[in-house]
């Protein structure tokens, strides 16, 4: 009987493996850059042509290789990074499998030139589609140059799946950016095309300097710093400000122990931190570095090493969400007079109305002017952890002027003109008060006259059972009845009229889907956001000057005064510089003649 099972030829096996490791030219760039960094390179040069399909060349000044190692690196699973399985638990290098070089050589015209410092001459190796063509001695400096030409030329089916050269170039350059961010102490040079203009990112002493050289000084200055620590975990990086987002995740960069990674968990934790600071459909800009004990992660879960698995995913999730939330809450809390802002104002107002200026004769009817004590004395400046030194405080020199469109408060500040959305601002104030009251247990628990019974699927019920003690501390007392049923016995006093059935159902589903330990916080926050939206002042609700002052004071006492709970901006500012630019006055020393 004829055999049906056979061992694949080595060349065919390498080409099959290349389909996992080398998806496109960007994959080649990633592997070669990581090899250069693992070799200790302080300078790396990248040259490409045709979006990487025609040429990819990476040169470095790393440790280089001798003749034997230069030949051995072409063998599959030959590596200097691992000796035993246990080494995976203390891995500090980018590469470790020994697959990249042989698989790249199997699908291209491959040239390797390298020399160790101790060797008098270097070694040059040529390979064509996995077949060794020549090995010779050559003169060169210490380091390694790898040249990859005609990628997938021997595999037309693979080559047809590549995008246009310009599109492939975008993917390729992202890999260069990731490597450059991960290793700011290394100089990177890049040139595309035979006559292309080169780009240089010099070695930087700080991560901020490297980010500024890549994206520009304005890009990094517009971000907020973020920091977080847990036992065995350290998070640092930069985030976009509340309310500012992009339609894609292209400007999100994650690094775990300096390794660029793609992580759904980290991305969703980041988005969770912005849940009430950014409109749905938008994504924040972020550069996050996570340092963790290598024994607590598994980098061997993806053929291209793009992903890592965390042993304690919930702990990492919680760290990211908490750190992001603290960074976005840039304004420290300040005690203000106790009376709460009115729950609703029913008096209707005309489209535009004004407030009297302090110390200036009213320019409208005297009966519209507020009493002298209505405008509070200037509040002491608050500088939150994310506020740039020297930047304008939006409350400095604040003076309400009037209302535009029966919705937007016009406020003169030390920096220009501020427009405040009165509905969004009041939403933020009520939301933080209600959330704080719930989390602190203020108001106590109120037993329900008729307990509410909620029946859940088995998976959701099991997840909810684990969190019942936490919910009890928040004022929500539930008892398990068996068969997936729960009885809601007591609720937070301030939320006694809430429909608790959909709340519990949504909460349990979130917990069961492993969206992280913040599922409770997310469910309660969404609920509170809906409540305050209905209770906050609306457009056309006319506010007195005293109410405007109180609203502004309360808003800027919030942890995150920049957005409403739904992520919409609460205020925007037109700076004097922007106004001068728009009126053509910027840089005009003489102004407009006699008009000034």
């Amino acid at each position: 009987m004829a055999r049906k099972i056979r061992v694949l030829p080595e060349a065919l096996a390498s080409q099959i493996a290349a389909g996992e490791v080398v998806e496109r030219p960007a994959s080649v760039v990633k592997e070669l850059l990581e090899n250069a960094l693992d070799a200790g390179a302080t300078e790396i040069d990248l040259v490409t042509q045709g979006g990487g399909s025609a040429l990819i060349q990476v040169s470095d000044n790393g440790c280089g290789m001798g003749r034997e190692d230069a030949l051995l690196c072409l063998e599959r699973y030959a590596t200097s990074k691992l000796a035993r399985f246990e080494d995976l638990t203390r891995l500090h290098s980018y590469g470790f499998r020994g697959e990249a070089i042989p698989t790249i050589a199997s699908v291209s015209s491959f040239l390797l030139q390298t020399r160790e410092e101790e060797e008098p001459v270097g070694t040059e190796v040529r390979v064509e589609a996995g077949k060794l063509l020549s090995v010779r001695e050559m003169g060169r400096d210490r380091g390694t140059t790898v040249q990859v030409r005609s990628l997938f030329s021997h595999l037309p089916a693979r080559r047809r799946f590549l995008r246009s050269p310009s599109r492939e170039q975008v993917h390729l350059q992202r890999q260069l950016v990731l490597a450059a961010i991960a290793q700011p102490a290394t100089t990177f040079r890049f040139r595309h095309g035979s006559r292309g203009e080169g780009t240089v990112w010099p070695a930087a002493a700080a991560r901020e300097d490297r980010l500024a050289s890549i994206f520009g000084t304005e890009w990094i200055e517009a971000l907020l710093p973020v920091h977080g620590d847990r036992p065995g975990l350290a998070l640092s990086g930069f985030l976009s400000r509340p309310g500012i987002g992009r339609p894609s995740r292209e400007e999100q960069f994650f690094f775990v122990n300096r390794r660029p990674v793609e992580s759904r968990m980290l991305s969703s934790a980041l988005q969770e931190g912005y849940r009430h600071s950014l409109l749905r459909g938008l994504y924040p800009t972020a550069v996050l570095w996570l340092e963790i004990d290598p024994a607590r992660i598994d980098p061997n879960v993806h053929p291209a090493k793009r992903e890592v698995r965390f042993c304690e995913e919930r702990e990492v999730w919680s760290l990211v969400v908490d750190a992001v939330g603290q960074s976005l809450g840039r304004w420290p809390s300040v005690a203000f007079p106790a009376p709460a802002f009115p729950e609703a104002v029913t008096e209707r107002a005309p489209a535009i109305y004004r407030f009297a200026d302090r110390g200036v004769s009213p320019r409208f009817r005297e009966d519209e002017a507020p009493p002298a004590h209505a405008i509070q004395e200037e509040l002491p400046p608050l500088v939150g952890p994310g506020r740039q030194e020297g930047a304008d405080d939006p409350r400095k020199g604040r003076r309400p002027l009037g209302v535009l469109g029966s919705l937007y408060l016009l406020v003169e500040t030390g920096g220009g003109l501020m427009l405040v959305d009165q509905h969004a601002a009041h939403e933020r104030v009520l939301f933080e008060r209600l959330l704080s009251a719930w989390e602190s247990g203020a108001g106590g628990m109120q037993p329900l006259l008729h307990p509410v019974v909620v029946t859940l699927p088995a998976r959701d019920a099991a997840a909810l059972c684990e969190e019942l003690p936490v919910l009890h501390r928040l004022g929500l007392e539930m008892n398990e009845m068996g068969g997936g049923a729960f009885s809601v016995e007591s609720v937070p006093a301030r939320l006694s009229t809430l429909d608790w059935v959909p709340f519990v159902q949504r909460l349990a589903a979130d917990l069961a889907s492993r969206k992280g330990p913040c599922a409770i916080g997310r469910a309660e926050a969404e609920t509170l956001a809906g409540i305050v939206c209905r209770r906050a002042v609306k457009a056309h609700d006319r506010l007195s000057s005293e109410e405007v002052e109180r609203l502004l004071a309360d808003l800027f006492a919030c942890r995150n005064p920049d957005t409403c709970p739904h992520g919409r901006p609460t205020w925007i500012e037109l700076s004097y510089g922007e106004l001068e630019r728009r009126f053509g006055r910027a840089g005009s020393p003489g102004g407009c003649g006699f008009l000034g």
Side-chain angles (χ1 to χ4, degrees):
M1 188 173 183
R3 281 191 310 177
K4 298 180 180 179
I5 298 176
R6 62 181 63 87
V7 178
L8 294 176
E10 182 63 26
L12 178 57
S14 295
Q15 290 179 349
I16 293 174
E20 296 180 335
V21 178
V22 184
E23 302 174 35
R24 60 196 330 156
S27 306
V28 176
V29 170
K30 173 183 180 294
E31 298 292 347
L32 297 184
L33 290 177
E34 290 182 350
N35 281 349
L37 293 171
D38 282 340
T42 59
E43 296 185 8
I44 298 177
D45 289 37
L46 171 64
V47 179
T48 63
Q49 294 179 9
S53 297
L55 170 68
I56 296 173
Q57 179 176 294
V58 175
S59 303
D60 67 67
N61 65 344
C63 62
M65 293 181 286
R67 179 186 178 93
E68 291 185 6
D69 284 342
L71 291 172
L72 191 58
C73 78
L74 294 169
E75 301 292 331
R76 292 187 66 191
Y77 310 122
T79 179
S80 62
K81 317 298 172 50
L82 296 178
R84 59 189 63 85
F85 179 80
E86 290 75 17
D87 291 342
L88 279 173
T89 64
R90 46 182 176 267
L91 193 65
H92 293 281
S93 62
Y94 289 106
F96 53 88
R97 295 200 191 108
E99 291 182 300
I101 294 299
T103 53
I104 292 171
S106 71
V107 292
S108 67
S109 297
F110 182 87
L111 173 67
L112 170 67
Q113 297 175 334
T114 184
R115 183 175 80 83
E116 285 182 310
E117 190 164 11
E118 300 79 10
E119 296 291 331
V121 296
T123 301
E124 179 185 274
V125 181
R126 289 184 178 272
V127 180
E128 184 71 29
K131 182 179 179 181
L132 181 64
L133 296 184
S134 65
V135 182
R136 72 178 184 90
E137 293 183 346
M138 63 167 299
R140 62 157 293 144
D141 295 333
R142 187 194 78 167
T144 301
T145 296
V146 176
Q147 189 180 94
V148 178
R149 292 185 178 273
S150 305
L151 186 64
F152 300 140
S153 61
H154 303 89
L155 298 171
R158 291 286 306 277
R159 196 175 182 89
R160 283 198 298 268
F161 281 94
L162 295 181
R163 307 290 292 274
S164 66
S166 60
R167 188 61 183 168
E168 293 297 337
Q169 187 67 23
V170 171
H171 293 285
L172 182 155
Q173 288 182 211
R174 183 172 178 86
Q175 293 302 324
L176 178 64
V177 167
L178 290 171
I181 297 176
Q183 296 289 346
T186 300
T187 296
F188 288 83
R189 302 182 185 90
F190 170 61
R191 188 179 80 249
H192 180 62
S194 57
R195 299 181 181 178
E197 189 173 328
T199 298
V200 180
W201 297 327
R207 289 167 171 171
E208 302 95 297
D209 298 332
R210 172 51 57 84
L211 292 173
S213 67
I214 297 175
F215 301 109
T217 303
E218 292 184 0
W219 188 87
I220 185 64
E221 288 181 349
L223 302 181
L224 301 172
V226 58
H227 299 280
D229 293 288
R230 298 281 174 86
L233 296 171
L235 181 73
S236 61
F238 301 93
L239 305 168
S240 55
R241 297 177 185 273
I244 300 176
R246 294 177 56 83
S248 71
R249 294 186 174 92
E250 287 299 311
E251 289 191 5
Q252 293 183 2
F253 305 93
F254 301 104
F255 301 86
V256 177
N257 294 347
R258 297 177 296 111
R259 177 191 298 277
V261 300
E262 298 173 5
S263 171
R264 293 182 180 179
M265 187 275 289
L266 291 177
S267 182
S268 63
L270 172 65
Q271 202 71 23
E272 182 67 31
Y274 276 84
R275 175 164 290 273
H276 298 289
S277 299
L278 194 63
L279 285 174
R280 293 193 179 188
L282 295 180
Y283 302 93
T285 295
V287 187
L288 297 180
W289 290 273
L290 178 67
E291 296 296 327
I292 184 173
D293 183 351
R296 299 169 67 181
I297 62 173
D298 181 4
N300 194 31
V301 296
H302 190 279
K305 306 185 294 292
R306 285 198 299 259
E307 301 176 7
V308 295
R309 181 176 297 156
F310 297 92
C311 295
E312 296 144 358
E313 186 173 283
R314 290 169 65 91
E315 185 71 13
V316 176
W317 167 284
S318 178
L319 169 65
V320 174
V321 174
D322 290 348
V324 170
Q326 292 174 9
S327 179
L328 297 181
R330 296 175 298 155
W331 302 86
S333 298
V334 172
F336 284 92
F341 191 78
E343 300 261 333
V345 181
T346 57
E347 181 183 359
R348 295 298 173 181
I352 299 178
Y353 58 96
R354 298 176 295 174
F355 298 103
D357 297 313
R358 175 165 38 176
V360 179
S361 300
R363 288 171 288 179
F364 44 90
R365 296 198 318 271
E366 186 170 343
D367 59 358
E368 290 183 344
H373 59 80
I375 301 178
Q376 301 175 355
E377 293 298 321
E378 193 57 45
L379 297 170
L382 293 179
V383 181
R387 177 65 60 182
Q388 299 290 329
E389 184 176 357
D392 293 328
D393 188 317
R395 300 168 306 146
K396 186 176 181 180
R398 184 184 69 228
R399 185 162 63 97
L401 302 176
V403 179
L404 175 67
S406 299
L407 176 61
Y408 303 106
L409 308 179
L410 303 178
V411 184
E412 181 182 2
T413 71
L417 177 66
M418 177 193 293
L419 289 86
V420 180
D421 183 324
Q422 67 182 34
H423 175 70
H426 196 204
E427 276 189 310
R428 167 55 63 179
V429 171
L430 294 179
F431 174 76
E432 292 204 5
R433 285 180 179 174
L434 203 54
L435 185 61
S436 177
W438 190 353
E439 292 177 344
S440 66
M445 298 172 63
Q446 178 173 317
L448 295 179
L449 183 60
H450 300 288
V452 177
V453 177
V454 185
T455 302
L456 302 172
R459 187 188 66 157
D460 296 1
L464 186 62
C465 279
E466 297 179 6
E467 306 296 341
L468 287 180
V470 177
L471 291 171
H472 187 272
R473 289 196 297 271
L474 292 173
L476 181 59
E477 182 181 5
M478 289 191 294
N479 295 322
E480 185 181 9
M481 302 171 62
F486 293 82
S487 174
V488 181
E489 304 287 343
S490 299
V491 300
R494 298 195 179 200
L495 302 175
S496 59
T497 60
L498 185 68
D499 186 354
W500 288 97
V501 173
F503 174 86
V504 174
Q505 291 173 335
R506 182 174 64 251
L507 171 61
D510 279 355
L511 290 169
S513 60
R514 307 291 293 179
K515 290 185 179 178
C518 295
I520 294 176
R522 177 170 54 248
E524 67 183 6
E526 287 183 351
T527 300
L528 300 185
I531 293 174
V532 300
C533 184
R534 295 188 295 270
R535 293 169 60 183
V537 295
K538 308 295 192 297
H540 301 292
D541 287 344
R542 181 169 183 173
L543 308 181
S544 68
S545 59
E546 295 98 327
E547 292 168 340
V548 170
E549 281 289 346
R550 174 52 51 80
L551 176 58
L552 294 174
D554 289 349
L555 173 65
F556 291 110
C558 291
R559 289 188 301 116
N560 180 7
D562 299 327
T563 62
C564 76
H566 308 289
R568 291 190 299 273
T570 56
W571 63 275
I572 62 174
E573 185 177 38
L574 294 175
S575 67
Y576 285 122
E578 175 68 11
L579 292 172
E580 289 173 355
R581 186 186 68 80
R582 287 178 174 267
F583 280 105
R585 299 180 65 90
S588 302
C592 298
F594 69 92
L595 292 177

